[in-house]
Amino acid sequence: MSVPSDTLTRHDKHGRYPEATTVEEFQRNLAAVQARIRAACHRVGRDFATVRLLPVSKTKPEASLRMAHAADCRMLGENKVQEAYRKWEAMQDLTDLRWSIIGHLQSNKAKLVARFAAEFQALDSLRVAEALDRRLQVEGRSLDVFVQVNTSGEASKYGLAPEDVPAFIQKLPAFTALRVRGLMTLALFSSEAERVRQCFVLLRTLRDRLRQSTHFCGLDELSMGMSGDFEIAVEEGATVVRIGQAIFGARPLPDSHYWPGETSTEEP
Ligand SMILES: *Cc1c(COP(=O)(O)O)cnc(C)c1O
């Protein structure tokens, strides 16, 4: 596949996305993001329908989430389990709203995830897989999961080293309440588009290699790309993009708050 190499990251906009305050503003932001996904698909000859947009609502108040729902969002991504659980409890009236947990999980919080989440995108340990499976069996539920891979090599990032992924995935069928859907990654946070792209290429290559082996059926999804880099991710094969700020508006806190150990990403 030949890929445009001039698509840039947009981390420069970080902290400057205006807050969406009406349903119409949510609709406009969603349409703008969809148009950019469509354009990225077009550049590489992909079908737009193969990319799912997951709006990320972390740190945003319930009122904003309700507006996003009114603007047709039916699944929301949250980075912290307790925050997500609190929002889920407060919005039980929205019976068609589903939740995706996209941040690191400690096994002692697996119980909460098992109770309400539809999807968990940050699986990176057998301990958590085991805890989730046990609690899901109790709840009589199942959960879509993505295995998180550290494609940037940064020590601060969660996720398995790429070379550890095949052996890890091989052990997952033992956990029958987990439905393994694919791989997830956070790219290097950088304005150097080429280095960001390499993270996405690495995830896709890993998935393709795993799929060739007959043991790994159903490993189709690639969750990669966020507000600053999703167009590059789509060009490289993303099937899920996780977008917060370009839909909801900038977050008040720097990303180091959500990804501990991260160096500051604020513009000078
Ligand atoms: C917050 C977050 C996102 C979305 O980031 P934005 O810059 O708001 O688009 C994506 N993935 C994960 C894991 C996140 O925590």
Side-chain angles (χ1 to χ4, degrees):
M1 177 162 52
S2 99
V3 147
S5 58
D6 55 349
T7 307
L8 302 175
T9 61
R10 304 212 183 182
H11 295 310
D12 57 320
K13 285 197 72 171
H14 224 64
R16 295 205 278 275
Y17 294 99
E19 186 83 18
T21 55
T22 64
V23 175
E24 290 69 32
E25 283 170 4
F26 272 97
Q27 284 165 339
R28 208 176 310 143
N29 289 350
L30 286 161
V33 169
Q34 295 284 18
R36 286 166 60 190
I37 294 172
R38 200 183 284 270
C41 282
H42 185 73
R43 287 196 288 277
V44 294
R46 289 189 62 194
D47 176 2
F48 173 70
T50 60
V51 184
R52 165 163 65 108
L53 169 58
L54 175 64
V56 175
S57 51
K58 69 188 185 200
T59 78
K60 299 298 177 184
E62 184 184 329
S64 292
L65 275 63
R66 286 184 179 276
M67 281 186 266
H69 178 266
D72 252 4
C73 298
R74 290 296 176 267
M75 188 186 247
L76 295 174
E78 287 278 339
N79 176 281
K80 292 180 190 260
V81 181
Q82 271 148 324
E83 177 181 342
Y85 188 75
R86 192 165 38 72
K87 288 171 171 173
W88 169 72
E89 278 194 309
M91 285 181 258
Q92 298 274 320
D93 55 310
L94 305 181
T95 50
D96 59 352
L97 183 58
R98 301 163 74 235
W99 300 86
S100 178
I101 304 300
I102 60 175
H104 182 74
L105 182 67
Q106 288 170 330
S107 53
N108 61 7
K109 306 232 177 80
K111 189 171 166 173
L112 286 185
V113 173
R115 197 168 299 160
F116 78 101
E119 183 175 272
F120 174 55
Q121 293 207 1
L123 184 62
D124 65 358
S125 81
L126 287 175
R127 205 182 140 96
V128 167
E130 203 276 328
L132 279 172
D133 188 61
R134 185 156 27 87
R135 296 307 310 187
L136 285 161
Q137 305 284 358
V138 171
E139 302 275 346
R141 300 184 73 238
S142 57
L143 185 69
D144 287 343
V145 298
F146 289 63
V147 173
Q148 184 172 356
V149 184
N150 181 345
T151 53
S152 66
E154 294 167 293
S156 62
K157 291 255 166 64
Y158 289 113
L160 293 165
E163 62 270 25
D164 295 336
V165 173
F168 179 77
I169 284 191
Q170 217 146 18
K171 299 198 178 91
L172 295 182
F175 307 111
T176 53
L178 304 182
R179 290 185 303 246
V180 184
R181 295 301 191 202
L183 307 178
M184 178 273 225
T185 201
L186 282 160
L188 189 71
F189 196 92
S190 168
S191 55
E192 292 176 63
E194 212 35 55
R195 295 181 65 203
V196 171
R197 186 180 295 275
Q198 284 320 306
C199 296
F200 298 142
V201 169
L202 179 56
L203 198 72
R204 185 190 67 225
T205 308
L206 184 59
R207 188 228 21 212
D208 291 349
R209 245 189 292 131
L210 289 167
R211 275 208 297 204
Q212 273 167 14
S213 151
T214 51
H215 309 295
F216 307 118
C217 50
L219 202 71
D220 295 324
E221 307 279 346
L222 289 176
S223 175
M224 54 191 200
M226 37 199 270
S227 293
D229 58 17
F230 70 88
E231 287 151 304
I232 299 174
V234 168
E235 288 171 1
E236 295 301 341
T239 65
V240 182
V241 290
R242 311 175 306 267
I243 315 252
Q245 302 184 84
I247 295 169
F248 284 82
R251 286 182 294 272
L253 295 164
D255 282 338
S256 53
H257 177 74
Y258 313 103
W259 303 315
E262 200 95 335
T263 49
S264 174
T265 56
E266 296 298 276
E267 297 289 303

